[in-house]
């Protein structure tokens, strides 16, 4: 948006002040400078503000803006006089302005470093954090223009505005003069003001993801009349999972006499639906997505999952389509998962959402999973399912044009149903923010990351954010300092997730190793040393060891006060007929479960080679879908390199390597 000739020519329109923000309730809005083209928007905005809010703004009845007011509030030099607006759908929902003043409170220019500031927010949008977001942005603008203090006059009854200033975290002074509260804010950032900003950001971004994962109603746009196809598949999966909310099928190609599809109401557009739609899953060709987004935005949809392909993964033309998709959705206050996404899942009993292409919804569990790759998402869902693991939530973000791994960390930090956060990331976007969020989340629950093959400082296609190109070794160091557990393969991620979600925490780094394979025991011992653990010499039970021998040895190790965790290695044992026993894993699983159930709460990992049924039997016993009432065991096949524990202070077995593929 360019300035008109009426504005000062030497102060160009500051487009770097434009920003998308997430509000307290999870919706989005855009903050931008006000220009001379905004006269009609300003008048319309003011007409929708209540008389009470107008009185608080002007200290007198002020039913309408005069032409002089409109001119003054839309003409700025972007230095001494600045106005910002918050917009949704192109319309104003809040404004803020500052005017530079001298010591006598009169209009001034630099070097005067104080400004008078005033806010006005539509009543329908009060309580969403609009004024707080405006204060953060106008303060940053003021500092850029050499202003160090804000002065504000607030009526004593205007508690909402006083609260905004009081809770901003800036150093301030207050006095009562001539029937109003006089506030002076020092705009120099403080630890408290930074904490306030990050706290607001955290709550808003977490809430925005929560709104996507727990909708009260879902419309699948692009559900076809005939079976098959992406849209119809998502609708089928949504219903099969037992979604607790309302579902709708939407397709502009539906005949006018079609009223239901798969037992849910069928409509030609979202606008035909009489009730509120919270989430729309878009599965139409890319050239029809803008029409669907506009239909959703104009009828109050809160968020989108865009499964449609044909965006940044297709090259420069697709990248521009993707940028326009984000601009369009944000103009309506909607967040996007995708495009080119695989979908989202929430297993909570109150939601039971499977708005994805996964044919089976995972069991309810305590693991949250985020992936940028649909293919990797499929592999992880399949691997976790085979191992009997449940999930709390799943997001496959595709091209990650909007919702990212950082948003998922914000959500995981607050989500009471998630004990472990697993992330497959092809890029970090903003490494500094990722490290800050990961450090905070990892302090309360484990964070496990597989970093894909994309360059450490690169973006997914079309994801336009500033990044720093940093080497992979630096990425590893950042993650280590943040307390993130980094693994190399998706199968290692499954192992780590299961161990952290289902096993008790070890009291220290002391590890007991036992089993019937001397070579596996030695490999495990060396790997423990390499990870900084303190392993005891492996106990070799010999190849003649029976399941009862394993049970006795594990019972003894768990009872040993000098042992914090146990790794069991197992190969087929020799039966009474002298042949190797390969298919009686359930017997060994029962023996190990019995020892774990009767001993102290310590993590137990099992590394085995070709023992049929063992992994399945242990997975059934240690499923994260079940309440964790006793110590359980984790089974995995060893990799070609070693059957070794990984991760700081925990005994996690490695599985066959499945490298994170290049993308």
């Amino acid at each position: 948006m360019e300035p008109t000739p009426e504005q000062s020519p030497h102060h160009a329109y500051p487009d770097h002040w434009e920003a998308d923000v997430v509000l307290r309730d999870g919706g989005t809005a855009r903050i931008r400078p006000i220009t001379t083209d905004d006269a009609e928007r300003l008048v319309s905005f003011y007409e929708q503000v209540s008389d009470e809010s107008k009185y608080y703004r002007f200290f007198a009845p002020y039913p309408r803006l005069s032409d002089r007011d409109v001119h003054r509030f839309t003409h700025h030099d972007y230095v001494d006089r600045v106005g910002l607006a918050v917009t949704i759908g192109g319309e104003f929902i809040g404004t803020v302005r500052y005017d530079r003043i001298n010591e006598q409170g009169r209009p001034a220019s630099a070097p005067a470093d104080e400004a008078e500031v005033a806010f006005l927010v539509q009543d329908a949008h009060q309580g969403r954090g609009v004024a707080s977001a405006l204060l953060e942005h106008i303060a940053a603008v003021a500092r850029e223009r050499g202003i160090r203090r804000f002065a504000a006059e607030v009526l004593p009854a205007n508690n909402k505005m006083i609260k905004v200033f009081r809770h901003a975290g800036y150093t301030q002074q207050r006095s009562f003069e001539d029937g109003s509260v006089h506030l002076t804010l020092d705009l120099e950032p403080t630890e408290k003001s930074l904490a306030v900003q990050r706290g607001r950001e955290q709550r808003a971004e977490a809430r925005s993801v929560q709104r996507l994962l727990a909708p009260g109603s879902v419309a699948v746009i692009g559900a076809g009349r005939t079976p098959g196809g992406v849209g119809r598949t998502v609708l089928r999966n949504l219903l099969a999972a037992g979604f607790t909310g309302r579902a709708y099928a939407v397709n502009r190609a539906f005949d006018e006499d079609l009223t239901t599809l798969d037992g849910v109401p069928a409509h030609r557009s979202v606008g035909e639906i009489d009730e509120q739609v919270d989430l729309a899953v878009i599965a139409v060709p890319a050239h029809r997505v803008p029409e669907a987004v506009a239909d959703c935005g104009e009828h109050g949809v809160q968020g989108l999952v865009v499964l449609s392909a044909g965006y940044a993964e297709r090259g420069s033309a697709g990248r521009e389509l993707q940028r326009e998709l984000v601009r369009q959705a944000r103009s309506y206050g909607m967040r996007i998962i995708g495009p080119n996404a695989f979908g989202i899942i929430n297993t909570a009993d109150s939601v039971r959402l499977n708005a994805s292409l996964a044919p089976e919804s995972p069991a309810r569990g305590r693991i949250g999973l985020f992936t940028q790759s649909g293919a990797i998402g499929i592999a992880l869902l399949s691997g976790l399912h085979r191992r009997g693991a449940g999930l709390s939530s799943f997001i496959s973000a595709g091209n990650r044009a909007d919702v990212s791994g950082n948003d998922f960390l914000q959500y995981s930090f607050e989500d009471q149903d998630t004990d472990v956060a697993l992330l497959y990331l092809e890029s970090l976007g903003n490494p500094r923010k990722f490290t800050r969020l990961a450090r905070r989340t990892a302090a309360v629950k484990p964070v496990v990351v597989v970093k894909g093959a994309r360059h450490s400082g690169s973006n997914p296609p079309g994801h336009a954010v500033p990044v720093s190109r940093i080497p992979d070794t630096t990425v590893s160091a950042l993650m280590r300092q943040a307390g993130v557990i980094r693994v190399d393969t998706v199968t290692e991620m499954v192992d780590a997730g299961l161990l952290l979600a289902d096993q008790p925490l070890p009291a220290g780094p002391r590890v007991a190793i036992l089993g019937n394979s001397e070579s596996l025991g030695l490999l495990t011992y060396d790997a423990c040393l390499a990870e900084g653990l303190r392993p005891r010499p492996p106990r070799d039970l010999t190849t003649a060891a029976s399941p009862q021998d394993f049970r006795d040895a594990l019972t003894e190790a768990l009872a040993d006060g000098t042992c914090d965790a146990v790794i069991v290695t197992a190969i087929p044992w020799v039966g009474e007929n002298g042949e190797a026993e390969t298919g009686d894993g359930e017997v060994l699983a029962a023996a190990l479960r019995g020892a774990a159930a009767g001993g102290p709460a310590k993590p137990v990992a099992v590394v085995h080679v070709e023992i049929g049924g063992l992994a399945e039997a242990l997975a059934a016993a240690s499923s994260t879908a079940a309440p964790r009432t006793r110590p359980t065991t984790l089974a995995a096949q060893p990799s070609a390199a070693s059957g070794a524990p990984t991760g700081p202070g925990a005994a996690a077995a490695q599985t066959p390597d499945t490298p994170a593929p290049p993308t």
Side-chain angles (χ1 to χ4, degrees):
M1 187 177 298
E2 296 297 329
T4 68
E6 292 179 81
Q7 294 170 316
S8 302
H10 57 284
H11 298 312
Y13 176 82
D15 54 10
H16 64 287
W17 291 352
E18 296 182 353
D20 293 315
V21 295
V22 183
L23 301 176
R24 184 176 296 151
D25 62 357
T28 63
R30 186 158 187 80
I31 294 180
R32 65 167 176 83
I34 297 173
T35 75
T36 56
D37 294 331
D38 289 321
E40 290 185 8
R41 294 186 184 90
L42 182 65
V43 171
S44 175
F45 159 72
Y46 194 76
E47 288 175 348
Q48 298 177 61
V49 175
S50 70
D51 290 340
E52 180 184 53
S53 293
K54 293 173 181 175
Y55 187 88
Y56 285 155
R57 168 64 176 86
F58 292 102
F59 292 20
Y62 215 85
R64 65 187 58 85
L65 296 175
S66 66
D67 291 343
R68 180 179 179 182
D69 291 328
V70 173
H71 184 277
R72 178 168 177 263
F73 293 155
T74 56
H75 288 67
H76 308 97
D77 62 10
Y78 302 128
V79 177
D80 298 327
R81 300 178 61 251
V82 172
L84 301 180
V86 180
T87 67
I88 294 179
E91 300 302 317
F92 288 7
I93 66 167
T95 62
V96 65
R97 58 178 290 103
Y98 79 66
D99 292 87
R100 195 186 300 257
I101 57 176
N102 58 23
E103 294 180 356
Q104 289 74 43
R106 306 294 297 172
S109 299
D113 60 0
E114 185 170 337
E116 187 175 43
V117 66
F119 297 78
L120 187 60
V121 178
Q122 267 187 24
D123 295 70
H125 294 276
Q126 291 177 12
R128 301 184 66 196
V130 174
S132 296
L134 279 172
L135 178 56
E136 290 177 18
H137 283 261
I138 197 72
V141 168
R143 288 193 295 269
E144 180 181 328
R145 295 310 196 203
I147 292 171
R148 297 292 174 257
R149 291 180 306 282
F150 274 162
E153 298 288 337
V154 185
L155 288 174
N158 192 355
N159 293 319
K160 291 180 180 179
M161 199 66 244
I162 292 174
K163 185 177 179 181
V164 168
F165 286 120
R166 186 172 68 243
H167 291 174
Y170 295 111
T171 302
Q172 58 185 272
Q173 295 178 344
R174 286 187 291 173
S175 61
F176 187 77
E177 301 175 10
D178 299 326
S180 66
V181 179
H182 181 80
L183 292 148
T184 302
L185 278 71
D186 186 339
L187 300 183
E188 186 67 26
T190 65
E191 288 188 13
K192 184 177 180 180
S193 68
L194 292 175
V196 168
Q197 292 173 24
R198 290 173 177 174
R200 185 194 65 79
E201 170 194 73
Q202 191 277 320
R203 290 186 295 273
E205 292 178 357
R207 173 60 179 158
S208 72
V209 176
Q210 194 272 337
R211 291 206 314 179
L212 292 165
L213 287 171
S217 55
V218 176
V220 180
I221 302 176
R225 294 196 61 172
T226 58
V230 173
R232 189 69 176 271
T233 298
V234 172
L235 180 61
R236 181 196 64 200
N237 295 343
L238 182 71
L239 299 176
F243 177 55
T244 60
R246 303 178 304 280
Y248 305 94
V250 177
N251 194 322
R252 69 175 185 177
F254 285 159
D255 295 333
E256 292 187 5
D257 59 351
L258 181 68
T259 58
T260 62
L261 183 71
D262 290 341
V264 305
H267 299 276
R268 291 168 56 85
S269 69
V270 173
E272 292 182 2
I273 301 174
D274 294 332
E275 299 176 294
Q276 169 69 38
V277 175
D278 297 328
L279 176 71
V281 181
I282 297 180
V284 300
H287 70 275
R288 287 182 48 203
V289 170
E291 173 191 347
V293 173
D295 185 26
C296 292
E298 290 167 4
H299 295 92
V301 175
Q302 295 179 349
L304 307 174
V305 177
V306 181
L307 308 183
S308 311
Y311 287 89
E313 75 278 6
R314 298 288 178 86
S316 58
R319 280 194 293 273
E320 184 52 41
L321 282 176
Q322 185 164 304
R323 295 187 185 103
E324 181 55 36
L325 168 64
V326 175
R327 285 194 291 266
Q328 183 186 17
R330 286 180 175 171
S331 73
Y332 290 110
M334 298 184 293
R335 297 215 70 180
I336 300 175
I337 291 177
N340 196 28
F342 186 72
I344 60 176
I345 296 172
N346 182 355
T347 63
D349 286 338
S350 60
V351 182
R352 296 201 297 272
L353 173 74
N354 181 6
S356 79
L357 296 171
E360 292 187 18
S361 185
R364 187 180 179 187
R366 308 293 301 179
I367 296 174
L369 176 60
F370 176 91
T371 173
Q372 290 177 214
S373 163
I376 296 300
I378 295 170
L380 284 166
L381 288 174
S382 177
L384 289 164
H385 178 72
R386 287 196 306 270
R387 303 288 293 280
L391 290 178
S392 57
S393 59
F394 167 78
I395 294 177
S396 170
N399 291 3
R400 203 197 69 176
D402 181 18
V403 173
S404 68
N406 285 349
D407 295 295
F408 184 73
L409 284 173
Q410 302 277 43
Y411 170 77
S412 298
F413 176 78
E414 287 200 346
D415 183 33
Q416 297 300 311
D417 291 332
T418 298
D419 288 340
V420 181
L422 308 183
L423 296 91
Y424 170 81
L425 302 176
E426 294 169 353
S427 65
L428 297 184
N430 183 338
R432 180 174 296 177
K433 182 175 181 179
F434 172 83
T435 303
R436 172 170 58 84
L437 300 183
R439 179 183 295 111
R440 183 182 56 191
T441 304
V444 296
K445 57 188 69 175
V447 177
V448 183
V449 173
V450 170
K451 176 67 173 61
R454 193 182 300 278
H455 191 283
S456 299
S458 66
N459 283 321
H463 190 73
V465 296
V467 298
S468 302
R469 297 188 175 275
I470 53 179
D472 192 67
T473 53
T474 304
V475 172
S476 294
L478 289 174
M479 290 189 182
R480 191 180 307 112
Q481 292 170 7
V484 172
I485 300 170
R486 182 178 183 181
V487 294
D488 295 325
T489 67
V490 294
T491 45
E492 287 180 7
M493 173 180 277
V494 172
D495 275 346
L498 285 171
L499 182 95
L500 293 165
D502 197 61
Q503 296 281 318
L505 289 174
R510 301 168 299 182
V511 180
I513 304 168
L514 61 92
N516 63 349
S517 169
E518 183 179 10
S519 59
L520 279 182
L522 291 173
L523 286 171
T524 302
Y525 180 85
D526 290 342
C528 286
L529 289 175
E531 293 295 332
L533 302 175
R534 291 166 52 190
R536 295 169 53 180
R539 180 177 176 180
D540 183 13
L541 304 179
T542 77
T543 55
S546 67
Q548 184 61 44
D549 294 327
F550 274 89
R551 176 168 184 162
D552 293 341
L554 179 55
T555 298
E556 183 179 339
L558 290 172
D560 188 345
T562 65
C563 161
D564 301 313
V566 183
I567 300 177
V568 177
T569 63
I571 61 174
W573 61 91
V574 178
E576 293 180 358
N577 59 3
E579 296 182 359
E581 297 283 351
T582 62
D584 204 7
E586 291 186 6
V587 177
L588 179 56
L592 296 173
R593 290 202 308 268
K602 297 178 182 179
V604 178
V606 179
V607 182
H608 75 95
V609 177
E610 299 298 334
I611 300 181
L614 177 59
E616 292 79 5
L618 290 175
S622 61
S623 170
T624 59
R628 293 172 294 164
T629 58
R630 62 182 64 185
T632 55
T633 47
L634 168 71
Q637 300 248 3
S639 68
S642 68
T646 63
Q654 289 185 331
T655 59
D657 283 342
T658 303
T663 56

